[in-house]
Amino acid sequence: TEPAPAEAVAPASGALYRDAIAEIESTQGAYAPQMSETLLGMGMMLQREDNHQEAIRAFKRGIHLSRINDGLYTPGQIPMLQREIASHLALGQYAEADERQAYLYRVQMRSQEAGITRARAFMQQAQWQYTAYRLALDGQAFARVMSMWDLYRLALTDIMSREGDTSAMLLEPLEGMLLAQYLIADFDMQSLNNAGGSADGFSLQHQQNRFSAYRAQSYKRGQAVIQAIYDIQKAQHGDHSLETARSRAMLGDWMLWHGERDAAMKAYREAVAELTPREDAEVSLLSLFGEPEELPSIEGASQLPEPVDPEQANLRLQFGVDSRGKVVDLERIDENELNDAMANRVMRQLRRTQFRPRLAMGEPQDTETVTRAYEIK
């Protein structure tokens, strides 16, 4: 979670902060209203020094004083909570960060009116739910991705009510909603039987049933989200733009990833048709369809490691991608010391990965040589 910028004036050292706090306490008492701002500044200084444990103490005290002076859900707590969460994350204290993130969300919902600020709070919380999902914090990953979807949808509603249904500001929550749908569709349903956590049996079963309903609707919801992205890109950039073509290709990717090959090829050809009238059509078509693309192609959804520069890599792979988007002739081409077991895990995942094949004149092509480089730790 990115902390919000603070307005506190930063003295040059911890000693100056401690002196300022002592002065306030001696003249105005330990609960003086301006103490929270001073503690925020002190905590920020401690963060810059990587003294996160002391920073957390400063932020907690500042939050406590803000609650005493201004009320339980005062917005003045928000920057201190965001900073405290950042320090918990820096220390690897993920459960503590999760608890404080939940409290931050309660404060935001009690203190902010509907609008852009509240929409950003929804999206910040959705991003945290994604982080918690990746960290497998509580054994209820299915609940995290449902929350992602719900929160991004709330953000979308808040923005749409003020900016209209073709605002570029809608793209961020829509892209978050699409990521959530990829995660929902890709979820291992078998793991629902092993889901743990703090929920009681009835509550857990209710959540699992709800997730099953979300998953049943995932394909249509993903299509609807991508159509909304296309409509916005068309309104913002017009026909024959790279943006509208990419959103059509995005629809094809969603369909192909779900095994709907004929529908996907139709969407890809529509993307080609968007670009064909352009003066730079050849260059634009190459940029979009000139190389195979692993799916899902949106950030955060892939099961594969992030590719790196070959000079950084300890695993280099070479393979082909056939016209159906399947990996063929996969082999390891490096001579690094990464053990075979770790390399084989990545190679197994790559074999299972669906690719968007290279297109020429709107038709899928075999590609003989594709390379990927990974740094596996």
Side-chain angles (χ1 to χ4, degrees):
T1 303
E2 289 294 324
E7 301 299 325
V9 177
S13 71
L16 287 178
Y17 272 115
R18 285 187 286 274
D19 289 346
I21 289 170
E23 175 67 19
I24 293 170
E25 287 177 328
S26 66
T27 59
Q28 301 177 55
Y31 298 101
Q34 59 265 53
M35 186 75 81
S36 290
E37 183 178 350
T38 305
L39 287 163
L40 172 60
M42 184 176 185
M44 292 167 62
M45 181 272 298
L46 291 164
Q47 282 182 325
R48 288 192 293 272
E49 296 177 350
D50 288 328
N51 189 349
H52 291 285
Q53 204 64 59
E54 290 300 318
I56 288 168
R57 290 193 183 96
F59 295 135
K60 281 186 178 294
R61 184 181 176 193
I63 292 162
H64 178 65
L65 292 176
S66 180
R67 285 163 59 91
I68 289 172
N69 288 310
D70 302 314
L72 294 180
Y73 297 104
T74 172
Q77 299 173 72
I78 291 173
M80 288 182 284
L81 281 163
Q82 290 172 323
R83 290 282 177 178
E84 183 193 338
I85 290 165
S87 281
H88 283 303
L89 292 175
L91 294 172
Q93 297 173 346
Y94 301 121
E96 292 86 346
D98 190 38
E99 184 272 325
R100 297 306 271 172
Q101 186 71 42
Y103 176 60
L104 168 63
Y105 182 63
R106 290 199 299 275
V107 172
Q108 289 169 321
M109 293 303 100
R110 297 286 188 96
S111 64
Q112 294 173 341
E113 299 291 331
I116 301 305
T117 300
R118 194 173 74 168
R120 290 200 178 99
F122 286 136
M123 288 191 286
Q124 180 191 58
Q125 179 68 9
Q127 289 155 9
W128 172 253
Q129 294 301 318
Y130 172 75
T131 299
Y133 160 80
R134 298 294 290 197
L135 291 169
L137 276 189
D138 53 10
Q140 293 191 39
F142 64 94
R144 298 291 187 170
V145 293
M146 282 194 299
S147 292
M148 268 184 73
W149 166 265
D150 292 340
L151 288 158
Y152 277 122
R153 188 175 57 179
L154 289 169
L156 184 82
T157 300
D158 262 14
I159 295 171
M160 192 181 295
S161 68
R162 278 153 179 75
E163 303 294 325
D165 59 6
T166 59
S167 169
M169 294 178 69
L170 297 171
L171 291 173
E172 183 178 353
L174 283 168
E175 288 163 2
M177 290 165 71
L178 183 58
L179 172 58
Q181 287 304 324
Y182 267 114
L183 298 177
I184 288 168
D186 199 34
F187 194 84
D188 178 12
M189 294 296 285
Q190 197 67 26
S191 68
L192 279 181
N193 299 326
N194 304 319
S198 58
D200 60 53
F202 176 81
S203 175
L204 181 59
Q205 187 61 53
H206 174 74
Q207 286 281 74
Q208 290 171 337
N209 292 342
R210 185 165 164 256
F211 182 79
S212 295
Y214 270 52
R215 186 177 167 89
Q217 299 166 10
S218 179
Y219 185 69
K220 288 184 178 180
R221 282 181 169 178
Q223 282 185 299
V225 168
I226 296 167
Q227 183 63 48
I229 291 171
Y230 173 82
D231 292 341
I232 293 167
Q233 297 291 23
K234 186 173 181 179
Q236 293 289 324
H237 302 284
D239 291 324
H240 313 309
S241 66
L242 282 168
E243 290 81 6
T244 53
R246 286 196 185 103
S247 57
R248 270 294 167 240
M250 190 184 294
L251 179 61
D253 292 345
W254 178 252
M255 292 169 164
L256 184 61
W257 190 73
H258 279 84
E260 301 290 338
R261 187 171 184 275
D262 291 342
M265 291 304 142
K266 181 176 182 291
Y268 292 146
R269 292 184 187 109
E270 289 173 354
V272 169
E274 286 278 359
L275 296 175
T276 302
R278 293 171 61 92
E279 291 183 6
D280 64 349
E282 186 175 350
V283 173
S284 298
L285 286 166
L286 276 174
S287 72
L288 189 53
F289 294 120
E291 296 289 339
E293 179 79 21
E294 61 203 59
L295 304 180
S297 62
I298 65 171
E299 184 178 354
S302 177
Q303 298 294 326
L304 288 166
E306 190 71 23
V308 299
D309 189 284
E311 293 169 1
Q312 295 176 251
N314 57 4
L315 176 62
R316 295 180 62 209
L317 303 173
Q318 182 173 290
F319 54 95
V321 176
D322 69 17
S323 62
R324 299 184 68 84
K326 301 303 181 185
V327 170
V328 295
D329 303 326
L330 175 62
E331 60 178 337
R332 183 176 179 179
I333 57 173
D334 66 84
E335 296 181 356
N336 296 314
E337 295 181 357
L338 180 71
N339 70 62
D340 288 341
M342 297 178 76
N344 288 339
R345 278 198 294 272
V346 177
M347 294 173 74
R348 282 195 299 272
Q349 184 60 51
L350 190 55
R351 286 191 184 95
R352 291 194 294 266
T353 298
Q354 173 70 57
F355 277 71
R356 178 208 303 158
R358 177 173 60 90
L359 299 186
M361 303 296 291
E363 297 301 320
Q365 308 292 316
D366 292 338
T367 303
E368 289 186 4
T369 304
V370 180
T371 60
R372 288 289 186 274
Y374 304 106
E375 184 182 17
I376 308 301
K377 297 178 181 177

